[in-house]
Amino acid sequence: MLSLFPRYRTRISPTTTTKHIRRHWRYTIAPTAASQSSTTITPANAAACQIIQSPFHSTTTSSTTTARPFDKVLIANRGEIACRIIQTCKHLNIQTVAIYSNADENALHASMADEAYLIGSGPEASNSYLLMEEVLDITKKSNAQAIHPGYGFLSENASFASACASTNGVTFIGPPPAAISAMGSKSESKRIMMNANVPCTPGYNGSDGDGPQDPEYLLQQAIEIVGFPCLIKATMGGGGKGMRLVHTPETFLSALDSCKRECLSAFGNDTVILERYLTNPRHVEVQICGDMHGNVVHLHERDCSVQRRHQKVFEEAPAPGLSEGVRKELGEVAVRAAKAVGYVGAGTVEFLMEEQQQHDQSDSRTGDDNAIGNFYFCEMNTRLQVEHPVTEMITGVDLVEWQLRVAAGETLPILDQDLIPTSGHAMEARIYAENPARDFLPATGTLQHLRPPMGEGVRVDTGVRAGDNVSVFYDPMISKLIVHGPDRTAALEKLVQSLKCYQVVGMPTNIPFLVKCANHDAFRRGSVNTGFLEKYSADVQIKEEDESNAPSPAGKALSVLSLLLTIEGRVGVLDINAERKQQGPWSNLSGSWRKGGDMERVVEFSCPTTDDATNKGTSNIKSTSHRDGSFTLTIDDEIYHVDGTLDSNGKLEATVNERHFSVTSILSQNYSQDGSIGDTIVNIWAKPGKHLGDVDEYTCSMSFPFAFANRNKASGEATLGSGSIKALMPGKVIRLNAAVGDEVEAGDVILVLEAMKMEHAIISPVHGVLSMVSCDVDDIVDDGRVLAVVGGNEDSNGGGIAGNEESIA
């Protein structure tokens, strides 16, 4: 049950006068006691998808005072983190101010805030969320007392933090500018850490952060001091961007050039450092928090070792398999690091831990206390981390509330390190709009259906709703799924079941990939390191041509039944006999029967074939409608008798050859690039803990022609040659390396696309002469658009993305 409380909110442009203010209805969704006490994992209903699921409120004594730290706070961010901060502010009765770009006018964070202001003139972050002066101007106009930067954007910008203090005393909810500057420079931060007796990875850090950046000199340092494999890292920024792993001296200079270009684009600074690359270390980080009175505590550690292209895939707390001695040492070193820079607020000290440091891979927190210190400082993130919820779940501490109170000058709520609580185990998985079967290409489009899981110990932090668009301009993360259990085994089982019933329609997601990873034996054992995905890539890879992707016979039968019930107008009809009496014998509720016998119809469907992943095998399903509303289906020469009801929320109660199924069925529509209507997709999900036809089949999808009477798809489409180079994702063209008439080799980089903050090198699939280029630098191109042609006399599968460049998103 959900209660809705209508409120007004104000949406204001910085140049808007009072008479131009528009007022909109806003709804705050408050879970009732019944929904909060649920002990099973179930998909949330549609309304519940509109806000963060299970908003976090501290279960630990948060402060010695009940006074709110601020009256009004501006959130200089967007998406799920802005929504997360708004939740805590509302809990503390603090008014909130949101900013939004012209691409985010209808975004959830803008709807949740008490006031919302348009910022900038364009959708790109550089033309909106990164405009410091405009953020500060809106802060003054709205009379906000403080700015919470969230993570990303301006959160680690020391100049912005300084400007806040000099702008009518606005409070920056974060560390002092000096700490941001020191920790924002990887070279400077390592110098400070070494002086504080914090172990650091060997490498070239420059001379006090200002060492030579000549490419040949850096190559010499890599060969003579660092060694290979070598990691090139941006001195500024973070989040995995501006980082390249180089295995040989021969590839160093090209990787350096690409890394510097990405650094300059992302951070406005192309200075890099070099580090010795530790082979398959663990990535363990410690959450710390300090106040203005010199107090610093840690809130235990998190393991973030499972990563893809240096981006975290899973996070969990506490880190599995560490001895108590190592945990204690990690925490003490992290506190020492924070005190070395006079840190105030919430931050994270990250470490790389060599493999031999792992003693016990079980789920206990015991082990050998020997060999302490075999870990190295990696970096310090001077902001709230994406993965902060797992720490909140095991400690009961609302880290955003701590940030607000510390920024207001209060002391830390808990000063005794031994009193920082910890209970159970928590895990987080990031749900992305991306296609794992196509090398995780970012996906864009409309979220036609979105229903996250709910239940005790299940939390979903999101910034989108059903009907929202995932655009090319921002990170494609849909949400963060966080679970908590009494131990790691229970938490992992809850994570897997929650992933399986997470319903997203409208674009591909990484959920199937996450399920495979979480179910892997090594991950279940807690045997994780940064090389996990490389080592087990064959086990967790998602392939379009994989036969297991095709629906089982039961999945096909349920999909066809759902489609037929929709065709016959029986959605929401739960008692067919009662409805039939009201509508008469000639209605669709009579099963499309005909005088003199039952009605037979043929319906086409398509599903992946095993021999060619680029084509879809077309099969015929014969459907016979009976007087009682049931159907007889012939699928792949097998006969199924099916019957059931489908309600307006997608709940399908069905029988297939006398086996009962209770599933969710959602129909969605595909659209072509020109906006014309494409196929209808039927999506089926089993209930948590249940399966469809096969034991591992928790969901399936089938594609049907939109016009059911028209069985002939459009033909005569123009085909391009094997030299056609297509955009495999929507993005922005940032570089052209060749022009019409140039001779190119197979594998040459023709152009570079920027999508979701990552560079993608688009290569020529063949040798030949470039005969056509259809784009220019700064063009925004759609997925599938032909960008260039080399030759053009054969059938095409299009160009490709270079797979050897370790680009960081």
Side-chain angles (χ1 to χ4, degrees):
M1 297 291 294
L2 296 163
S3 55
L4 300 179
F5 305 99
R7 295 183 182 177
Y8 284 110
R9 76 177 169 84
T10 306
R11 185 187 298 273
I12 309 173
S13 168
T15 57
T16 300
T17 60
T18 304
K19 66 179 182 179
H20 292 133
I21 293 174
R22 293 176 291 158
R23 294 192 180 275
H24 300 260
W25 285 102
R26 177 171 65 84
Y27 291 94
T28 300
I29 299 180
T32 64
S35 67
Q36 289 176 326
S37 62
S38 173
T39 57
T40 58
I41 298 171
T42 58
N45 62 29
C49 297
Q50 296 181 16
I51 64 164
I52 301 172
Q53 301 300 313
S54 306
F56 184 84
H57 296 146
S58 177
T59 58
T60 300
T61 301
S62 299
S63 177
T64 57
T65 177
T66 57
R68 58 184 180 184
F70 300 101
D71 294 326
K72 183 184 284 189
V73 171
L74 181 141
I75 297 97
N77 217 297
R78 65 175 302 278
E80 62 86 14
I81 187 56
C83 295
R84 164 70 187 91
I85 296 165
I86 292 171
Q87 287 283 351
T88 290
C89 287
K90 290 189 178 302
H91 178 61
L92 297 176
N93 198 28
I94 298 172
Q95 286 191 311
T96 54
V97 180
I99 57 175
Y100 63 93
S101 71
N102 58 18
D104 277 342
E105 182 177 2
N106 298 310
L108 179 58
H109 75 279
S111 301
M112 288 179 64
D114 297 293
E115 302 174 30
Y117 291 74
L118 174 66
I119 184 169
S121 59
E124 299 88 355
S126 60
N127 292 322
S128 54
Y129 296 103
L130 291 175
L131 298 175
M132 293 191 293
E133 292 299 326
E134 196 160 329
V135 171
L136 294 171
D137 184 52
I138 293 172
T139 303
K140 289 190 291 185
K141 287 183 178 181
S142 65
N143 294 315
Q145 298 166 303
I147 297 175
H148 197 306
Y151 55 73
F153 293 143
L154 298 172
S155 63
E156 294 179 286
N157 189 311
S159 298
F160 179 68
S162 297
C164 288
S166 61
T167 306
N168 297 329
V170 172
T171 299
F172 177 77
I173 302 174
I180 297 176
S181 296
M183 293 297 98
S185 169
K186 290 181 172 58
S187 55
E188 175 68 5
S189 65
K190 290 206 169 183
R191 184 188 64 81
I192 294 173
M193 292 301 106
M194 287 187 288
N195 289 339
N197 198 28
V198 174
C200 295
T201 310
Y204 169 73
N205 303 321
S207 175
D208 292 332
D210 192 28
Q213 289 289 303
D214 177 72
E216 292 296 336
Y217 180 80
L218 291 175
L219 174 59
Q220 180 184 2
Q221 296 298 305
I223 295 172
E224 297 179 358
I225 296 178
V226 183
F228 290 90
C230 167
L231 197 61
I232 307 174
K233 297 173 67 174
T235 61
M236 309 300 293
K241 295 183 291 294
M243 191 180 298
R244 295 293 186 278
L245 175 61
V246 185
H247 292 276
T248 64
E250 290 74 20
T251 58
F252 179 87
L253 292 178
S254 61
L256 175 65
D257 179 64
S258 174
C259 183
K260 279 180 166 288
R261 190 169 56 249
E262 188 171 279
C263 295
L264 194 61
S265 173
F267 315 122
N269 186 317
D270 67 352
T271 306
V272 299
I273 63 171
L274 310 178
E275 285 183 357
R276 181 181 303 166
Y277 182 74
L278 303 178
T279 304
N280 298 333
R282 287 183 66 172
H283 185 130
V284 180
E285 61 189 31
V286 179
Q287 177 70 57
I288 59 95
C289 196
D291 62 26
M292 297 179 184
H293 311 284
N295 303 302
V296 179
V297 296
H298 71 82
L299 293 91
H300 312 296
E301 80 287 345
R302 301 184 287 253
D303 191 296
C304 309
S305 297
V306 180
Q307 302 179 10
R308 186 184 65 82
R309 294 175 182 169
H310 301 280
Q311 284 280 39
K312 298 163 186 173
V313 177
F314 293 105
E315 300 96 355
E316 58 182 304
L322 297 187
S323 71
E324 285 299 328
V326 171
R327 294 182 200 279
K328 185 173 184 293
E329 181 75 2
L330 278 169
E332 291 174 350
V333 170
V335 169
R336 193 159 67 237
K339 288 185 175 181
V341 292
Y343 198 83
V344 175
T348 303
V349 185
E350 301 193 356
F351 299 95
L352 295 178
M353 182 175 293
E354 290 187 309
E355 192 116 49
Q356 59 263 36
Q357 183 61 45
Q358 304 167 48
H359 301 295
D360 178 13
Q361 295 295 344
S362 69
D363 190 35
S364 68
R365 296 189 68 173
T366 61
D368 184 3
D369 284 346
N370 296 325
I372 295 174
N374 202 17
F375 53 82
Y376 305 98
F377 172 80
C378 177
E379 63 182 355
M380 184 175 185
N381 288 297
T382 55
R383 54 175 168 80
L384 198 65
Q385 287 280 83
V386 178
E387 58 272 17
H388 77 273
V390 294
T391 295
E392 293 183 325
M393 297 293 271
I394 68 167
T395 62
V397 170
D398 185 332
L399 287 171
V400 175
E401 181 178 348
W402 278 33
Q403 284 185 299
L404 292 166
R405 295 199 177 278
V406 164
E410 296 182 25
T411 58
L412 289 172
I414 302 175
L415 298 176
D416 187 341
Q417 182 63 58
D418 293 335
L419 296 182
I420 301 292
T422 178
S423 176
H425 200 95
M427 291 183 162
E428 176 179 296
R430 306 184 189 189
I431 311 300
Y432 278 96
E434 59 187 8
N435 192 338
R438 297 180 64 187
D439 197 28
F440 297 90
L441 293 180
T444 59
T446 302
L447 291 163
Q448 298 181 34
H449 170 79
L450 182 63
R451 190 174 293 176
M454 293 183 71
E456 183 179 359
V458 178
R459 167 179 166 180
V460 176
D461 284 14
T462 186
V464 294
R465 303 154 291 189
D468 286 352
N469 288 321
V470 177
S471 76
V472 68
F473 300 108
Y474 310 113
D475 187 90
M477 186 168 69
I478 295 172
S479 72
K480 302 181 307 196
L481 170 63
I482 311 102
V483 300
H484 181 268
D487 54 37
R488 188 176 190 272
T489 300
L492 180 54
E493 184 59 31
K494 189 173 293 185
L495 176 68
V496 171
Q497 293 304 324
S498 298
L499 285 168
K500 286 183 174 181
C501 72
Y502 204 128
Q503 301 173 13
V504 183
V505 175
M507 62 197 66
T509 73
N510 63 337
I511 291 176
F513 167 74
L514 295 173
V515 170
K516 276 195 170 185
C517 290
N519 271 329
H520 196 279
D521 288 343
F523 187 81
R524 286 190 169 274
R525 293 195 308 269
S527 180
V528 293
N529 57 46
T530 56
F532 176 87
L533 292 181
E534 182 179 1
K535 182 176 182 179
Y536 300 111
S537 60
D539 299 339
V540 300
Q541 185 178 10
I542 304 296
K543 300 179 180 179
E544 285 186 317
E545 68 271 21
D546 191 342
E547 188 174 2
S548 64
N549 291 338
S552 66
K556 294 176 183 178
L558 291 168
S559 299
V560 174
L561 173 62
S562 180
L563 183 68
L564 293 173
L565 292 175
T566 303
I567 292 172
E568 297 194 346
R570 289 167 56 179
V571 176
V573 177
L574 305 183
D575 187 338
I576 189 171
N577 291 322
E579 291 289 334
R580 185 183 291 141
K581 288 180 181 179
Q582 292 184 4
Q583 297 189 24
W586 306 109
S587 73
N588 284 338
L589 300 184
S590 296
S592 298
W593 67 287
R594 291 176 174 177
K595 182 178 179 180
D598 297 324
M599 176 184 175
E600 184 177 281
R601 71 157 48 88
V602 176
V603 180
E604 284 186 345
F605 78 96
S606 60
C607 64
T609 60
T610 57
D611 57 336
D612 185 359
T614 62
N615 295 316
K616 301 294 182 182
T618 300
S619 302
N620 288 330
I621 297 177
K622 184 182 294 184
S623 167
T624 302
S625 302
H626 300 297
R627 179 68 179 83
D628 62 359
S630 65
F631 305 90
T632 297
L633 307 178
T634 302
I635 305 176
D636 299 332
D637 298 325
E638 296 289 334
I639 297 176
Y640 302 87
H641 185 73
V642 299
D643 195 5
T645 60
L646 177 64
D647 71 15
S648 57
N649 289 322
K651 183 179 180 181
L652 177 65
E653 297 287 345
T655 56
V656 178
N657 289 349
E658 300 184 349
R659 178 186 170 188
H660 181 261
F661 291 88
S662 180
V663 301
T664 298
S665 174
I666 301 294
L667 273 66
S668 61
Q669 198 70 61
N670 270 353
Y671 294 88
S672 62
Q673 291 185 18
D674 61 6
S676 60
I677 297 175
D679 291 350
T680 295
I681 311 298
V682 179
N683 308 273
I684 303 287
W685 289 271
K687 280 188 172 181
K690 303 294 184 181
H691 58 86
L692 302 177
D694 298 331
V695 174
D696 294 330
E697 187 183 30
Y698 56 92
T699 184
C700 72
S701 297
M702 289 182 63
S703 175
F704 297 85
F706 173 75
F708 299 102
N710 179 10
R711 299 184 180 85
N712 297 317
K713 291 190 175 182
S715 59
E717 296 180 353
T719 59
L720 294 168
S722 59
S724 64
I725 301 169
K726 300 178 183 178
L728 298 183
M729 77 212 76
K732 179 180 180 180
V733 179
I734 62 172
R735 186 153 50 94
L736 288 172
N737 289 347
V740 172
D742 288 354
E743 183 176 356
V744 296
E745 300 290 338
D748 283 355
V749 177
I750 303 300
L751 56 93
V752 178
L753 281 182
E754 183 179 67
M756 307 303 182
K757 300 183 292 186
M758 184 168 70
E759 289 187 7
H760 302 270
I762 308 301
I763 64 174
S764 172
V766 297
H767 167 262
V769 175
L770 195 62
S771 59
M772 186 267 282
V773 176
S774 67
C775 59
D776 292 317
V777 173
D778 294 331
D779 280 0
I780 303 296
V781 298
D782 294 327
D783 181 12
R785 172 175 164 179
V786 177
L787 305 175
V789 173
V790 180
N793 300 318
E794 304 171 24
D795 291 338
S796 170
N797 290 330
I801 290 182
N804 58 350
E805 181 174 327
E806 300 193 34
S807 189
I808 310 302

